Amino acid sequence: VQLQACGGGLVQTGGSLRLSCAASGMSVSMNAMGWFRQAPGKEREPVAAINSGSWATYYADSVKGRFTISRDNAKTTVYLQMNSLKPEDTAVYYCAADRTYSDLYTKQLRAMDYWGKGTQVTVSS
C-alpha cells in the first residue's frame, strides 16, 4: 500500500494550493481518507477527513471555510483544496486512510491504517 501526497509548495498569504494524494495497493472506495499536518515545533494535527461515501466531512476549526476535501474513487485520489492560505498553515501535510472515518480526526496519524510521506506547504507573509 502506498499513499503519495503532492502539490505542496511556496505560496503567498491569501493564495491557494491543491494537494493530491494518490493511493495504490488498497481499496480506496472502502476507506475513509484524510489529511494531517505538522507545523514546525508543533504536534501533528488532523486537518480534514472524508468518509468512503463522500457524504460526511470533517474540518479542523482553523481551516473551516477555507479548505475543501474531496475524493475521486475512480482515480483513487483524495484532494485538499486550500484557499485563503495563512502563514500559520505552513506545515508538512500528510494523507492517510482508515476503515473508520472518525479515527481520522480523533486519533494520531501513526494509528491510521495507512499513511504516506508528506508534502511541504509554505505560506509566506
Side-chain angles (χ1 to χ4, degrees):
V1 175
Q2 188 173 23
L3 297 175
Q4 181 63 53
C6 63
L10 174 64
V11 64
Q12 292 185 334
T13 296
S16 298
L17 284 173
R18 188 174 83 152
L19 305 183
S20 300
C21 176
S24 59
M26 57 174 277
S27 177
V28 172
S29 62
M30 296 181 65
N31 284 275
M33 306 289 290
W35 291 91
F36 291 73
R37 69 184 181 186
Q38 186 167 22
K42 295 187 177 181
E43 294 186 355
R44 197 172 292 157
E45 61 177 357
V47 175
I50 186 167
N51 74 341
S52 58
S54 301
W55 50 263
T57 55
Y58 160 85
Y59 295 98
D61 288 343
S62 58
V63 306
K64 281 181 181 177
R66 301 187 297 121
F67 290 12
T68 302
I69 188 170
S70 61
R71 62 192 294 162
D72 185 336
N73 288 342
K75 296 182 178 180
T76 64
T77 301
V78 63
Y79 305 95
L80 186 67
Q81 178 67 44
M82 305 186 295
N83 299 327
S84 302
L85 283 162
K86 306 174 181 180
E88 50 264 44
D89 295 318
T90 295
V92 178
Y93 285 71
Y94 303 85
C95 68
D98 200 277
R99 288 161 291 180
T100 303
Y101 166 63
S102 60
D103 284 358
L104 284 160
Y105 55 88
T106 59
K107 294 186 178 181
Q108 297 293 320
L109 178 63
R110 60 179 178 269
M112 298 300 101
D113 291 338
Y114 310 107
W115 53 289
K117 294 181 180 179
T119 184
Q120 176 71 47
V121 171
T122 303
V123 184
S124 62
S125 57

